[in-house]
Amino acid sequence: MTAMISTRTLGTGPAAVASGALGLGLMGMSGMYGPAEESESIETIRAAVESGVNLLDTGDFYGMGHNEMLLGRALKQLGLDRDAVRISVKFGAQRGPDGSWLGYDARPAAVKTALAYTLTRLGVDHIDVYRPARLDPRVPIEETVGAIGELVQAGYVRQVGLSEVGAETIRRAHAAHPITDLQIEYSLISRGLEEAILPTTRELGIGITAYGVLSRGLISGHWTPERSTHAADFRTHAPRFQGENLTRNLELVEALRTVAEARGASVAQIAIAWVLAQGTDIVPLIGARRPDRLAEALGALEVELTAEDLAQIEKAVPKGAASGERYATAQMSSLDSER
């Protein structure tokens, strides 16, 4: 077993959740980045938990339920103590049998129905943090959060989280029920939360679980212009991976590589360490699908960035330097965090 990683706390007071300094995002294990091998995925989960990564993040719409069933099998196969891990679940995204995206449903009845199916797929009796994947524009956030709050009272959910919502929505939700954390994309090339969202969560004592810290592999140091993607891979249609956008973004990666090599670290480790350095209220989610990629990510915890390092990183990848939006136009329109 490898050395245990340090811990961080998401949220404050009764809403607080103790987490390892890094969490594991499971989305890529269910087809979002193309095919994944199940035994390798489960081995990655095992290695993560043995290293002290106790926050496991999934969504009921990842692979139309496949991701939750995969995690359920992993928990059983590995003999993991339910209380040794923190399971974070997103719900509400509606999908068709062809995998198409049909919008979001966060009505109170839908919230409770979704949780019933989630508990069954995972084979557990409670979820640690339950959150709507996006804001449902037809449903006041107070109603959605209120429904999750009822599930907290009933013992099926421990804490309430949010995902990709803006400062005003965060305030309204937190007034209806204490919020533990906001899950939102945050990386060297996705820094939109810094202007209004991060100051709001810090004012209210709400943590951040940061996904996309390597921008889906784009700033991992492993992506090349010649790399092909599977037809089902999200990145096949992501603006930052297309044409001239990709060329310019990989130029930023090469500038970051110079900083990483000077520190004796990989590009991925520097990118993750940068997110870690933005505050102890932030827990980066690592989307590793293989043990070797997980091991590389864990190495970021040994990289202590100095003020000079941070200045060099900022020079290599200035704020706002990324080319292309983080999602296609239709998906960007669903992000309350971008309004």
Side-chain angles (χ1 to χ4, degrees):
M1 181 180 295
T2 56
M4 299 294 284
I5 69 175
S6 59
T7 60
R8 293 189 170 190
T9 300
L10 294 168
T12 55
V17 169
S19 169
L22 294 177
L24 183 65
L26 307 184
M27 182 184 78
M29 298 178 181
S30 293
M32 292 295 286
Y33 297 143
E37 210 287 311
E38 179 161 317
S39 62
E40 193 168 54
S41 296
I42 291 178
E43 175 61 19
T44 302
I45 294 171
R46 181 201 63 75
V49 174
E50 287 190 352
S51 297
V53 175
N54 67 340
L55 181 63
L56 305 176
D57 181 77
T58 182
D60 64 8
F61 50 92
Y62 294 164
M64 280 67 78
H66 173 272
N67 205 241
E68 290 182 325
M69 291 188 287
L70 169 67
L71 178 54
R73 288 192 290 273
L75 294 173
K76 184 176 181 179
Q77 181 176 320
L78 300 174
L80 295 177
D81 181 350
R82 173 63 186 87
D83 293 329
V85 296
R86 306 286 181 265
I87 299 176
S88 165
V89 177
K90 293 178 290 299
F91 70 90
Q94 305 296 288
R95 303 192 67 179
D98 60 352
S100 58
W101 299 89
L102 307 176
Y104 300 91
D105 190 351
R107 294 171 298 164
V111 172
K112 295 176 181 180
T113 299
L115 180 69
Y117 289 122
T118 282
L119 293 174
T120 298
R121 284 190 289 259
L122 287 168
V124 298
D125 62 2
H126 71 277
I127 301 302
D128 294 286
V129 186
Y130 200 51
R131 69 184 84 240
R134 298 289 187 269
L135 179 68
D136 183 342
R138 305 166 302 171
V139 182
I141 190 63
E142 293 86 352
E143 292 185 15
T144 301
V145 167
I148 305 175
E150 292 175 7
L151 296 169
V152 172
Q153 291 298 316
Y156 297 114
V157 171
R158 294 291 185 263
Q159 307 294 352
V160 182
L162 298 171
S163 177
E164 288 288 358
V165 293
E168 179 184 352
T169 301
I170 293 168
R171 290 187 184 279
R172 289 171 51 199
H174 193 63
H177 190 283
I179 302 298
T180 290
D181 73 314
L182 169 70
Q183 189 171 120
I184 190 168
E185 185 167 354
Y186 192 28
S187 73
L188 274 167
I189 63 171
S190 296
R191 297 174 61 176
L193 83 166
E194 291 178 347
E195 182 176 346
I197 293 173
L198 189 55
T200 299
T201 58
R202 285 177 169 165
E203 174 191 337
L204 300 175
I206 297 170
I208 296 286
T209 44
Y211 74 88
V213 294
L214 297 179
S215 198
R216 300 166 182 84
L218 180 58
I219 60 171
S220 67
H222 301 298
W223 200 272
T224 64
E226 300 78 21
R227 181 170 172 174
S228 61
T229 54
H230 189 275
D233 191 326
F234 163 85
R235 296 167 294 195
T236 301
H237 309 288
R240 289 180 175 173
F241 288 83
Q242 309 305 312
E244 288 302 313
N245 286 344
L246 177 61
T247 299
R248 289 193 291 270
N249 290 330
L250 289 181
E251 289 173 354
L252 297 175
V253 174
E254 290 311 304
L256 186 62
R257 193 185 305 277
T258 299
V259 179
E261 290 177 349
R263 282 299 317 267
S266 72
V267 175
Q269 288 167 347
I270 288 293
I272 296 166
W274 180 88
V275 178
L276 284 163
Q278 302 314 300
T280 57
D281 55 343
I282 299 172
V283 173
L285 295 174
I286 304 305
R289 296 189 292 172
R290 303 186 336 228
D292 61 327
R293 291 289 194 245
L294 173 69
E296 180 184 22
L298 290 172
L301 295 167
E302 300 175 8
V303 180
E304 295 186 11
L305 298 176
T306 66
E308 182 179 352
D309 291 330
L310 291 169
Q312 289 298 317
I313 292 169
E314 187 78 25
K315 182 178 179 180
V317 187
K319 185 175 182 178
S323 294
E325 299 284 2
R326 53 194 182 103
Y327 289 103
T329 302
Q331 292 171 300
M332 286 295 292
S333 67
S334 72
L335 297 177
D336 183 63
S337 55
E338 293 286 342
R339 293 174 186 157

